[in-house]
Amino acid sequence: GASATVSFERGDTTGGDPTPVPQMAGFSSRGPALANSSDVIKPDITAPGVSVLAAVAPPSGQGRSYDLYSGTSMSSPHVAGLAAFMLGEKPEWTPMQAKSAMMTTAYDVKDADGNADTDPFGQGAGHVDPTKFFDPGLVVTSDAEDWRGFLQGQGLDLGVEPLAASDLNGPSIAQGQVTSSTTITRTFTALEAGSWSISADVPGFAVTHKSSFEMKEAGANEVVDFTFKRTDAPLGEFATGFVTLTEATSGKQVRMPVALRPVSVSAPETVRGEGASGSVEVPITAGFTGDLDIETAGLAAAETALGTVPTGESVEYTIKVGEGTKLARFDLDSANDQADMDLYVYRINAAGTALEALVGQSATGAADESVDLVNPRAASYYVVVDGYAAAPGESAMDYRLDVFRVDGTSDAGNLTATPNPVPVVENVDTSYTASWSDVDPGTRYLGWFEYDGALTPTYLYVN
């Protein structure tokens, strides 16, 4: 009634073992990121994001003015607010300096048993620590020119020299395809004078680097090369660890996560060619010395559907995939690159009466989407083209859907790799020639080249 009272008691009153915190939420998205060939670790960092007391809008919050919310919508404002807090205290810092300070002073989250959970694809650099990020001593930063080079390297033509994603100077180190060994450089900028020692630990790799360096004043730079050579890290699996720098007098530490995936062969995921007959050079780097055998499959002609879908609606197709199919690829190409389309692929049950499973989806903020099914089960598939949002000023989206089935019967164009096998030398760049002939110039084709022990095959598009 009106005289009821309530009190809050500090601490865990359940009487059992306290829950280890912080932990990564089960719903939190994990890396590695497929973009950039996994040469950038994502996520960057984590912050409180579960059951956070937050102001909400009453019309959409069931009449409430506050509620307990979870998700990126909670974690991201923590990071943004903390960055604003940092820049309020350090107005001379750039956003990338703030990011570096936040990441390099983070600490590990815990697993359900209370042990340190050091997975960089869950926590990034770790959980943000506001008690340390104002005074890291060093930063690992980049400027607008670096980012323009990075974007150029990702295929956006800005008229500048491209910069490889793994070479972008940031507070983490990653390379998605390492053949035997790799050297990655980071430049450290001093916020104060100091003497720093370096240690690195990545199980499965031997790491070499300079042991220490001296920063005589704020603003000084030190370039450090880190060479990672595979010892016993399993092929095709990420090996993770940390690079840690420690200042001799203050004991301050700057820590960067590392993620490296060793492969037998590093090769491009996609190459493109044009014409009824032609060829294209395919660059490769092997992690051994000897002969590299290449298996070819295709070319497979596209089954093409042209259509229009209004915003908020979808168009569906049923596609049959037969036995022995090595790859079924579904490519959705919007006529207007300012639109946002999504693509979903479901497997239909044997009776043909219901959807059995969602087997692939591509639902980014981009106009074009693609789904690959490698060695798919022979079945009928339900393909949904979703018109999420049309381009500004338009209410519908024109699109092209290409379906490729690479199997034992898809042998158009006499696809060959020359030479095959390819003589390779460990960690030395080389190439082979992919060639085809006498295909229909009005049809799109897809083939692939497969290498033993490689992370992925190389896909060849021919228009």
Side-chain angles (χ1 to χ4, degrees):
S3 61
T5 61
V6 64
S7 64
F8 291 91
E9 192 171 335
R10 291 177 61 88
D12 185 348
T13 63
T14 62
D17 293 332
T19 301
V21 292
Q23 291 187 49
M24 292 308 303
F27 56 76
S28 183
S29 295
R30 266 68 170 176
L34 298 181
N36 320 310
S37 300
S38 301
D39 286 350
V40 176
I41 292 179
K42 288 294 177 181
D44 289 317
I45 198 167
T46 188
V50 177
S51 295
V52 176
L53 185 62
V56 300
S60 59
Q62 298 181 340
R64 294 187 291 270
S65 298
Y66 58 89
D67 206 340
L68 295 174
Y69 271 27
S70 299
T72 305
S73 299
M74 296 292 100
S75 185
S76 179
H78 273 91
V79 170
L82 288 170
F85 184 30
M86 296 169 73
L87 295 176
E89 290 292 309
K90 306 283 186 178
E92 73 281 5
W93 279 11
T94 66
M96 292 306 298
Q97 285 178 301
K99 177 178 180 177
S100 174
M102 194 176 290
M103 288 178 61
T104 56
T105 59
Y107 62 92
D108 293 324
V109 298
K110 299 178 180 179
D111 62 19
D113 296 323
N115 301 312
D117 183 356
T118 60
D119 179 13
F121 300 126
Q123 69 168 3
H127 193 280
V128 62
D129 187 349
T131 68
K132 292 184 177 180
F133 60 38
F134 285 110
D135 192 20
L138 289 176
V139 289
V140 191
T141 188
S142 51
D143 58 20
E145 182 180 355
D146 296 324
W147 283 95
R148 283 192 289 269
F150 168 79
L151 293 173
Q152 181 80 31
Q154 299 306 302
L156 181 62
D157 187 8
L158 299 178
V160 300
E161 285 296 315
L163 179 66
S166 60
D167 292 334
L168 182 65
N169 199 57
S172 63
I173 293 175
Q175 192 162 313
Q177 296 190 57
V178 178
T179 53
S180 179
S181 66
T182 185
T183 298
I184 298 176
T185 302
R186 287 294 180 264
T187 300
F188 299 92
T189 301
L191 299 177
E192 60 192 20
S195 179
W196 294 84
S197 61
I198 308 174
S199 63
D201 181 26
V202 183
F205 280 84
V207 190
T208 57
H209 52 80
K210 64 176 65 176
S211 60
S212 62
F213 59 85
E214 188 82 20
M215 293 293 205
K216 296 187 179 300
E217 60 184 0
N221 292 321
E222 185 71 22
V223 178
V224 181
D225 294 331
F226 296 93
T227 298
F228 304 90
K229 184 172 180 59
R230 176 180 177 254
T231 53
D232 57 1
L235 289 174
E237 300 178 15
F238 272 100
T240 63
F242 294 97
V243 167
T244 305
L245 288 76
T246 305
E247 206 283 312
T249 303
S250 64
K252 294 175 183 176
Q253 287 194 331
V254 167
R255 189 182 76 162
M256 303 188 302
V258 180
L260 306 169
R261 182 167 50 191
V263 295
S264 63
V265 181
S266 175
E269 180 180 351
T270 302
V271 292
R272 297 181 182 276
E274 295 182 353
S277 298
S279 64
V280 62
E281 289 296 305
V282 182
I284 57 173
T285 306
F288 65 96
T289 297
D291 290 332
L292 173 66
D293 291 315
I294 302 175
E295 179 184 344
T296 64
L299 296 169
E303 179 181 322
T304 300
L306 302 176
T308 301
V309 58
T311 296
E313 298 187 19
S314 62
V315 178
E316 297 79 27
Y317 300 88
T318 299
I319 304 295
K320 188 173 182 179
V321 174
E323 293 282 356
T325 300
K326 296 176 66 69
L327 170 72
R329 168 168 283 193
F330 306 84
D331 273 340
L332 177 61
D333 183 5
S334 173
N336 191 326
D337 286 340
Q338 291 185 300
D340 183 358
M341 303 190 71
D342 295 328
L343 182 64
Y344 303 89
V345 180
Y346 299 84
R347 188 174 59 243
I348 301 173
N349 66 7
T353 57
L355 301 182
E356 188 173 61
L358 175 64
V359 295
Q361 66 178 23
S362 183
T364 70
D368 303 334
E369 306 288 356
S370 183
V371 169
D372 284 348
L373 303 182
V374 179
N375 297 319
R377 182 188 303 179
S380 292
Y381 290 83
Y382 189 68
V383 181
V384 179
V385 174
D386 180 55
Y388 185 79
E394 299 181 0
S395 59
M397 290 145 275
D398 295 331
Y399 65 86
R400 172 176 179 149
L401 177 67
D402 286 323
V403 179
F404 301 92
R405 304 175 190 81
V406 181
D407 57 28
T409 66
S410 51
D411 56 358
N414 189 30
L415 183 64
T416 58
T418 307
N420 189 8
V422 184
V424 294
V425 177
E426 180 179 339
N427 259 17
V428 175
D429 296 340
T430 186
S431 66
Y432 65 89
T433 301
S435 57
W436 64 94
S437 60
D438 299 326
V439 297
D440 182 357
T443 302
R444 293 181 179 179
Y445 293 84
L446 178 68
W448 78 0
F449 301 92
E450 191 170 20
Y451 326 94
D452 185 34
L455 184 63
T456 62
T458 295
Y459 298 114
L460 169 66
Y461 279 102
V462 176
N463 291 330

